[in-house]
Amino acid sequence: MTDDASLESAAHLVGVPDEFQRLWTPHRMAYIEGGPKPHVDECPFCWAPQQDDESALIVARGTHAYVLLNLFPYNSGHLLVCPYRHIPLYDDATVDEVAEIGALTQKAMRVVRATSNNDGFNIGMNQGAVAGAGIAGHLHQHLVPRWAQDANFFPIIARTKALPQLLGDVRRTLAEAWNAAESH
Ligand SMILES: [Zn+2]
């Protein structure tokens, strides 16, 4: 099992917490334990863009929105697309924000597909805490890569997900692929 103290130390970092514990392989929680710890009360999606890409797990920055890795992923490569503005709901977003969230989501699909060879995606937004939004105050679109073999008994029985790569490594791979695609 994972180390509970390590999981707690990551509680205030960027991401949408859920009830799954994570089994980190090959080096459990090493990246997280060395990570930054922003102020508890600060919105993580407002905090993240003020940091450098590596510490905040940011993959790409647009004009109105940005892309970062979820600290609490359902799967390796679980991305979040967020507007910079602290707005809770999709219909609070401006036309420009909606357009860029859409464009970044499309590009994220291509980059993840190219680097992860996944079979599909779950894409969506939870609107309001009652709908499952972990951080309901700041809009964020989930993009979760799916593999044919990933829907096994493991999360249901053990409430644990096995993640094959450390977040820092995943971020670097995706950011490099993102920038390479940019120049084409
Ligand atoms: Zn915010």
Side-chain angles (χ1 to χ4, degrees), residues 111-165:
V111 167
V112 169
R113 194 186 290 122
T115 54
S116 305
N117 198 28
N118 58 309
D119 302 306
F121 292 96
N122 291 113
I123 296 173
M125 303 176 184
N126 300 323
Q127 297 284 271
V130 71
I135 297 165
H138 196 135
L139 182 65
H140 52 279
Q141 169 141 283
H142 294 264
L143 183 141
V144 184
R146 299 299 303 269
W147 288 263
Q149 295 83 5
D150 71 10
N152 58 26
F153 65 93
F154 194 32
I156 298 160
I157 300 299
R159 305 201 72 69
T160 300
K161 299 279 284 183
L163 299 170
Q165 285 177 282

Side-chain angles (χ1 to χ4, degrees), residues 43-47 84-87 137-138:
C43 168
F45 299 135
C46 290
W47 170 85
Y84 292 117
R85 284 199 309 138
H86 186 86
I87 50 170
H138 196 135

